[in-house]
Amino acid sequence: MRHYFKAMRPRQWTKNLFVFAGVVFSKNAFNPEMLWTSIAAFVIFCLLSSGVYLINDIVDIEKDRQHPKKKNRPLAAGKISVKGAISAAILLSAAALAGAFAISPALGGLSALYFSLMVLYSFYLKQVIILDVFTIASGFVIRVVAGTEAIQVYLSPWVVMCTAFLALFIALGKRRNEMKLLGNGAQNHRNTLESYTLPLIDQMISIVTASTMVTYFLYTFKSGQSLASMATVPFVLFGLFRYLYLVYSENSGGSPEEIILTDRPLQVDLVLWIIISMALIY
């Protein structure tokens, strides 16, 4: 069971925290009913994403065995069987989708969309240059929209756009890490890495970084329209620059969840951003 739990990639559940954007930014974080519904949506996406990770590991089992880090995943390392992984993926996905539809048809539909898109990514879209990172970004956007629809509140389109650009930023950093880590054998792990080049990825990262910052700046201005509403901007800027430092100087972009869980300056910055954002919103 320990190996199955590891195969569910619990560290990557941090990505599902985007589900809480709706309840937080709609000023309902202290509404018990809405908060519990958001927590239920978070659990649903944790189970659903774990099912997707298992499917992805089944599809990539041979390629993962050629990767210096992914070869230690339970399925690639032979700790669990393919048959067992298939059964676990079906169980997790079915339970998550059933729970989502039980909460609301909208959450169920978005959960099904997320699951379908990610399965399509595992089998095909990850092999299509540029479309692969767009698919990853779409997964984060769906999480945000699903969390909003679960509690039926309005969420600013600027928050959705910020999420999309930030997700692209993270996805491109992950691709860059794979190219640097695997070197000439990168295409053996992922076909798209044969089409990407470091200058291309670096240029796209520059564009997305600027877009993320500008979009967040416009969101804070339109939501507050005062100098105080800009108080969180320096923390977002520091977070982006810190992440860029880790990607370029430490080559750590391959596991975004590990960066968040281990990098102390980024953790402090994130906590301060949350505190100030909550103070401004509430």
Side-chain angles (χ1 to χ4, degrees):
M1 292 305 298
R2 177 169 55 89
H3 295 304
Y4 277 103
F5 183 71
K6 183 179 179 181
M8 291 169 63
R9 304 190 205 175
R11 285 196 167 195
Q12 298 204 25
W13 289 349
T14 52
K15 298 175 182 177
N16 298 315
L17 291 172
F18 279 86
V19 167
F20 290 102
V23 73
V24 171
F25 289 100
S26 66
K27 301 182 180 181
N28 288 295
F30 299 106
N31 181 316
E33 183 179 352
M34 289 188 176
L35 182 58
W36 278 111
T37 301
S38 296
I39 291 173
F42 171 76
V43 173
I44 285 168
F45 270 88
C46 286
L47 296 177
L48 198 58
S49 59
S50 292
V52 170
Y53 294 143
L54 284 166
I55 293 172
N56 185 74
D57 287 351
I58 293 167
V59 174
D60 286 349
I61 185 170
E62 294 301 329
K63 292 182 178 180
D64 284 350
R65 285 171 177 164
Q66 301 176 36
H67 193 281
K69 291 185 178 180
K70 294 180 181 180
K71 67 180 181 180
N72 296 318
R73 288 177 175 174
L75 194 59
K79 301 294 184 181
I80 61 176
S81 67
V82 173
K83 184 178 179 180
I86 292 173
S87 300
I90 293 173
L91 180 62
L92 290 169
S93 303
L97 290 172
F101 277 104
I103 292 176
S104 74
L107 179 59
L110 287 165
S111 299
L113 175 63
Y114 170 83
F115 179 75
S116 301
L117 187 62
M118 292 302 109
V119 170
L120 186 59
Y121 171 82
S122 297
F123 282 95
Y124 174 68
L125 293 177
K126 68 166 62 177
Q127 310 300 338
V128 183
I129 185 173
I130 300 178
L131 193 57
D132 59 337
V133 292
F134 269 71
T135 305
I136 294 174
S138 298
F140 283 89
V141 172
I142 293 173
R143 286 178 174 96
V144 171
V145 177
T148 303
E149 289 296 324
I151 57 176
Q152 298 180 346
V153 295
Y154 170 80
L155 185 64
S156 170
W158 290 104
V159 175
V160 178
M161 289 302 299
C162 286
T163 301
F165 283 126
L166 181 62
L168 282 172
F169 173 77
I170 293 172
L172 289 168
K174 185 178 179 66
R175 289 291 178 269
R176 192 182 194 281
N177 170 265
E178 290 172 341
M179 292 189 68
K180 293 286 289 184
L181 185 65
L182 299 175
N184 295 330
Q187 67 275 9
N188 295 327
H189 175 68
R190 197 184 301 279
N191 293 341
T192 52
L193 296 180
E194 187 175 9
S195 301
Y196 281 117
T197 63
L198 284 177
L200 173 62
I201 290 181
D202 290 343
Q203 188 169 6
M204 288 194 291
I205 288 176
S206 297
I207 293 171
V208 170
T209 304
S211 299
T212 303
M213 199 63 238
V214 170
T215 304
Y216 185 80
F217 179 85
L218 290 173
Y219 164 68
T220 55
F221 177 75
K222 290 184 72 66
S223 62
Q225 296 188 351
S226 68
L227 188 61
S229 66
M230 303 293 180
T232 59
V233 171
F235 297 95
V236 173
L237 190 59
F238 176 86
L240 291 174
F241 285 174
R242 177 67 185 178
Y243 199 91
L244 284 173
Y245 162 76
L246 294 171
V247 169
Y248 282 88
S249 299
E250 304 293 334
N251 196 32
S252 302
S255 299
E257 65 283 354
E258 288 188 12
I259 292 178
I260 295 174
L261 294 172
T262 59
D263 188 69
R264 190 65 64 192
L266 196 58
Q267 290 174 342
V268 173
D269 180 69
L270 184 60
V271 169
L272 291 174
W273 175 80
I274 292 173
I275 292 172
I276 296 175
S277 295
M278 294 289 283
L280 289 171
I281 294 171
Y282 291 90

